[in-house]
Structures are given as structure tokens and as C-alpha cells.
């Protein structure tokens, strides 16, 4: 069993905030570290029973893939899907304002307005520090749209999950795949999860960048965080510009390719480099970009790849289409997804060998099960496999994995 400091120190924490929700804010706080990562700060060690629960649910150290479900196809790379389609939000405002085609925002609004849930838990910009994101509970369309678009960087959406469960009202979760993994882990020790969380929705994730990525961006314009009134990475088009606004009315914009063409400068957290499920296998519905080759050639009207992964996810998708909430343009298959998301295929092939690199350095190795990682590693070229294993070991030796433990005196 690991304490929180060990999980953080060894680069396994993704900052989801579930440990804080289990332990309570009097014992664990989520803080932004000087390195730009959202991490738990232990102010009072959790008691043994709570620490055991944290070890059972932490997605940094444990992810178990979905069980097979009758009638749902299972792909070696992409996992389960009852239906794969391309679509978009029927409401033009949602489609234009949100990231990509607005499917997640449209589904969140539909769940609320149809009475299927009372709340939707997701992330939105911090009202006091708008460059940062945090947990947000939506109860209507305006609430959902306040968190639409993309706000890349660290976030802890699960800090209030236990409070929502205690209220006893049905809710949905829209979050990163690792956050959904945490929810599925929690469901195995808390029956209220399956009773009250009606669905889990996610995006196919390119990784969570460190906050220093955003700070470096504004520093190019001679700005500090206190100068910024608004920061949005995507939306208002597809992909839409990265937009910075200042309190004194200045506006700066960058194209998507200016921001993300150089993959070496994504500033991804270490846990993202060994993510076993960045494609959202554990969600009910996962959505993605659908750019051939993996990147945009320009602006388009906004389209999502939609993977209904469970029977309940398929039901929700069909209900949303029948209700006029979503428009479907075409059916696709798993190999289309390979074309749209080639970097996800490479990551899925790489994880097993990167874990071997961690083991070679005698650091704690997370337990990722039922996600076909070893089989997928065998589909990669031998030279690539060696590079993944040795590359992770080299990162560890060069000090790029081990993190300092958060303290009260070292926060952003």
C-alpha cells in the first residue's frame, strides 16, 4: 500500500482530486505545485481505512479495463464499442462555441433538460483565476456552456464526488479518461456510484499539460497570470483559436497548429506518458477529433467521432439523436479511428514497455489490467519497443519522473 507522498513522488499522480474527496479537505488539499501540476498536499495523514480506499481507487496506480458486454464489439486497440459514428451538436451555438462538434456539451445539456440527472460534474475555468480549471457542478444549459470549449492544463474534477454521492441525487460525469477510471474504481467499493452516476462521458485525450505550458504562452506577450481575464485553448470554431484576453482589453490569438504542432512541447505530465486508457474505454461514451492523419488542415464546422462503449451509452446516443440533440453524418469503424488518432495507437502500443522501463529502475509500477497492453506492445517494431523501454528508464535516471512532494511553502 502506498501513501500519497509515494504516489506523487514517483510520477504516478494525475491530480484527479478523488483522494481529497475521500480524505476530506482537513487532511488533504489540492494545490498547484511550482512545476505546474495539481497535486494532493497532505496536511494530516489519512487514517488507515481511508488510505486503503485511496489505494483502491487511485487511477495513477490502478486501472482495470472494461468487461466484455454481449453485442458490443471489442477491438485490440480501441476496446469496446457498440456504435462508432461521426456527428455533431444540432444546436449551432453549442456546435460553434464548444470544442470540436459540441457533442459532450450537448449531451450534458440533454441529460439535465430531460430530467435524467439533477447535476453534471465537469470542469470549467476558475472564476477567480481564469487561466486555471476546477470542478464545476452544472444544473442548466448556461452552467454547461460556461465550461464548454477546451481549457487545457491540470484540473481536479473529482474533489467533490463524495459530497455529491452523499446528496443522493442522480448525476453525470464529464471528465478525462483517467478521471473516469477513478470513478469506475470507486464503484467497486461504493455501491452508490452505480446507483447515482447515470453515465460517464469523456474525450479521447491527448494528455494533461502542466500549467507551465499556459504560463509560457502568456509570457510571450509580456503577461503575468494576474493580467489575464480569459484563456481558452479551443472552441468558437473547430479547432478555433487559442485566445488570451487581459483585464485592460488586449486580445492575443494563436492557431491550433502553432500551439500543438510540436509534440515535444506539450508539457505532458508523467502519468500521461504511461496512460493505459487515454481513449476512454471505461466511459459510456467517448468523443474525439476526426482529422485524417491526426491534425487539422484548417477550420471546419466541427465534427466529433462518437464511440458508444456500453449499452447504456448506446441508449443515450440513440435518444439524443431521436430527440434532435445530435446529428449523425456517417458510421465509421475502428480503422477509421486509427487514421483520425494515430498517436493514440502509438501510445497504446508503448505503455507496456514503458512500464517495463519503470520496473527496470525499481520504482513502483502501476497495475493496469484487462487493457491488452502486452498484446499491443507485440504489434510494435522491435526497435520502437526498445526505445520505449529504454527511453522511460532514461527519463527516470535524468530526474524527469521523480517529483518533489508538495509543501505549504511551495505553491503557485
Amino acid at each position: 500500500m502506498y501513501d500519497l507522498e509515494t504516489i506523487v513522488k514517483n510520477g504516478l499522480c494525475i491530480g484527479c482530486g478523488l483522494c481529497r474527496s475521500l480524505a476530506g479537505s482537513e487532511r488533504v488539499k489540492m494545490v498547484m505545485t511550482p512545476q505546474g501540476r495539481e497535486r494532493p498536499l497532505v496536511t494530516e495523514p489519512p487514517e488507515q481505512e481511508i488510505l486503503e480506499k485511496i489505494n483502491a481507487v487511485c487511477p495513477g496506480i490502478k486501472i482495470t479495463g472494461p468487461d466484455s458486454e454481449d453485442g458490443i464489439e471489442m477491438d485490440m486497440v480501441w476496446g469496446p464499442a457498440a456504435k462508432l459514428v461521426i456527428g455533431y451538436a444540432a444546436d449551432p451555438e453549442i456546435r460553434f462555441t464548444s470544442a470540436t462538434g459540441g457533442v459532450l456539451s450537448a449531451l450534458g445539456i440533454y441529460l439535465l433538460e430531460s430530467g435524467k440527472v439533477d447535476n453534471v460534474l465537469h470542469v470549467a475555468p476558475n472564476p477567480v483565476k481564469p487561466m486555471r480549471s476546477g470542478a464545476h457542478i452544472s444544473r442548466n444549459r448556461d452552467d454547461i456552456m460556461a465550461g464548454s470549449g477546451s481549457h487545457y492544463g491540470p484540473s481536479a474534477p473529482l474533489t467533490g464526488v463524495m459530497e455529491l454521492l452523499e446528496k443522493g441525487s442522480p448525476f453525470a460525469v464529464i471528465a478525462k479518461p483517467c478521471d473516469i477510471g477513478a470513478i469506475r474504481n470507486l464503484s467497486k467499493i461504493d455501491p452508490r456510484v452505480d446507483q447515482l452516476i447515470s453515465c460517464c462521458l469523456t474525450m479521447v485525450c491527448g494528455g494533461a499539460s502542466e500549467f507551465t505550458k499556459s504560463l509560457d504562452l502568456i509570457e510571450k506577450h509580456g503577461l503575468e497570470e494576474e493580467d489575464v481575464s480569459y484563456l481558452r485553448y479551443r472552441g468558437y470554431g473547430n479547432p478555433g483559436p487559442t485566445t488570451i484576453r487581459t483585464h485592460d482589453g488586449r486580445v492575443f490569438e494563436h492557431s491550433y497548429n502553432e500551439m500543438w504542432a510540436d509534440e515535444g512541447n506539450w508539457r505532458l505530465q508523467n502519468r500521461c506518458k504511461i496512460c493505459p486508457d487515454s481513449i476512454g474505454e471505461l466511459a459510456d461514451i467517448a468523443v474525439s477529433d476526426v482529422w485524417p492523419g491526426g491534425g487539422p488542415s484548417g477550420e471546419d464546422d466541427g465534427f466529433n467521432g462518437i464511440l458508444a462503449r456500453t449499452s447504456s451509452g448506446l441508449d443515450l446516443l440513440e435518444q439524443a439523436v431521436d430527440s434532435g440533440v445530435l446529428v449523425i453524418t456517417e458510421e465509421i469503424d475502428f480503422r477509421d479511428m486509427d487514421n483520425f488518432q494515430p498517436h493514440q495507437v502509438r501510445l497504446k502500443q508503448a505503455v507496456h514497455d514503458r512500464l517495463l522501463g519503470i520496473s527496470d529502475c525499481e520504482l513502483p509500477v502501476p497495475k493496469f489490467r484487462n487493457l491488452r497492453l502486452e498484446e499491443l506492445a507485440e504489434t510494435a517494431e522491435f526497435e520502437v519497443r526498445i526505445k520505449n523501454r529504454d527511453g522511460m528508464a532514461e527519463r527516470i535516471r535524468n530526474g524527469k519522473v521523480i517529483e518533489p512532494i508538495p509543501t505549504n511553502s511551495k505553491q503557485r
Side-chain angles (χ1 to χ4, degrees):
M1 186 168 63
Y2 302 124
D3 58 27
L4 287 172
E5 291 88 348
T6 298
I7 295 170
V8 171
K9 176 184 176 181
N10 288 284
L12 300 178
C13 178
I14 195 60
C16 71
L18 184 53
C19 57
R20 183 266 188 201
S21 190
L22 284 165
S25 59
E26 69 278 4
R27 293 185 178 89
V28 175
K29 297 179 180 179
M30 298 303 295
V31 299
M32 185 74 73
T33 70
Q35 297 75 31
R37 304 160 188 152
E38 193 114 25
R39 295 291 182 261
L41 168 63
V42 179
T43 56
E44 181 182 333
E47 55 195 43
Q48 182 76 7
E49 180 182 358
I50 296 299
L51 190 57
E52 289 175 356
K53 289 182 178 180
I54 290 172
N55 274 253
V57 304
C58 174
I61 61 175
K62 179 182 178 182
I63 291 287
T64 301
D67 295 326
S68 59
E69 190 175 348
D70 290 344
I72 295 181
E73 188 175 356
M74 180 70 74
D75 182 69
M76 174 72 81
V77 175
W78 289 93
K83 195 175 188 70
L84 294 87
V85 295
I86 293 177
Y88 57 86
D91 185 310
E93 179 189 7
I94 298 174
R95 185 183 187 187
F96 179 72
T97 303
S98 304
T100 318
V103 167
L104 288 178
S105 296
L107 287 173
I109 293 168
Y110 172 68
L111 287 166
L112 289 168
E113 293 185 343
S114 64
K116 296 180 184 298
V117 299
D118 292 338
N119 304 288
V120 175
L121 175 64
H122 58 112
V123 299
N126 184 307
V128 178
K129 296 183 176 182
M131 286 184 61
R132 309 185 187 202
S133 298
H136 182 77
I137 297 174
S138 287
R139 297 178 178 85
N140 54 50
R141 176 191 172 110
D142 289 344
D143 288 346
I144 292 284
M145 295 307 293
S148 65
S150 291
H151 309 275
Y152 295 143
S155 63
L158 305 184
T159 53
V161 163
M162 300 310 292
E163 293 176 24
L164 279 172
L165 290 173
E166 287 163 9
K167 289 182 178 179
S169 298
F171 65 101
V173 176
I174 304 176
K176 302 186 302 300
C178 53
D179 304 322
I180 303 304
I183 292 291
R184 299 307 191 197
N185 286 344
L186 183 62
S187 71
K188 294 180 173 61
I189 64 171
D190 191 330
R192 296 176 301 175
V193 172
D194 290 336
Q195 295 166 6
L196 296 175
I197 300 181
S198 65
C199 65
C200 291
L201 310 177
T202 194
M203 68 295 295
V204 172
C205 180
S209 56
E210 297 169 344
F211 189 55
T212 52
K213 172 77 174 177
S214 297
L215 291 177
D216 286 352
L217 173 64
I218 66 169
E219 286 172 5
K220 292 179 181 178
H221 302 288
L223 303 174
E224 297 182 358
E225 183 177 4
E226 293 73 20
D227 300 320
V228 177
S229 63
Y230 177 94
L231 173 62
R232 183 187 184 100
Y233 276 101
R234 287 183 60 179
Y236 290 97
N238 182 41
T242 294
T243 303
I244 308 162
R245 295 179 190 159
T246 65
H247 290 291
D248 60 11
R250 289 174 288 167
V251 178
F252 305 92
E253 290 189 345
H254 295 265
S255 72
Y256 180 91
N257 285 332
E258 286 176 329
M259 292 298 302
W260 305 106
D262 179 10
E263 188 171 345
N265 196 35
W266 285 7
R267 299 285 182 89
L268 297 185
Q269 301 180 57
N270 183 70
R271 172 59 174 72
C272 299
K273 298 178 184 297
I274 55 170
C275 183
D277 183 30
S278 57
I279 59 178
E281 292 191 39
L282 287 161
D284 293 299
I285 292 178
V287 306
S288 74
D289 291 315
V290 286
W291 297 316
S297 57
E299 291 287 323
D300 62 42
D301 291 330
F303 299 89
N304 282 116
I306 308 172
L307 294 84
R309 294 200 173 278
T310 63
S311 56
S312 60
L314 178 60
D315 288 344
L316 174 59
L317 174 61
E318 291 177 340
Q319 291 166 17
V321 172
D322 291 345
S323 300
V325 171
L326 299 180
V327 175
I328 302 302
T329 61
E330 62 182 292
E331 293 193 7
I332 56 175
D333 60 28
F334 293 115
R335 305 291 70 82
D336 291 321
M337 291 300 303
D338 291 348
N339 181 32
F340 299 146
Q341 299 282 334
H343 53 291
Q344 296 291 354
V345 179
R346 294 192 295 269
L347 175 59
K348 201 81 168 180
Q349 292 173 321
V351 171
H352 175 72
D353 290 314
R354 291 177 180 175
L355 295 178
L356 291 177
I358 294 174
S359 179
D360 292 340
C361 295
E362 300 182 343
L363 296 186
V365 180
K367 296 179 180 179
F368 299 148
R369 302 286 186 264
N370 201 32
L371 288 160
R372 311 166 306 283
L373 298 179
E374 187 170 359
E375 296 92 330
L376 283 163
E378 293 173 354
T379 66
E381 295 181 0
F382 178 76
E383 294 79 5
V384 173
R385 296 196 64 182
I386 295 298
K387 183 178 180 181
N388 281 317
R389 183 170 184 166
D390 290 349
M392 177 55 71
E394 184 177 0
R395 280 177 52 81
I396 293 169
R397 289 192 295 268
N398 290 339
K400 295 182 178 180
V401 170
I402 300 298
E403 295 187 22
I405 304 301
T407 68
N408 278 311
S409 60
K410 295 182 179 180
Q411 300 179 29
R412 283 193 181 273

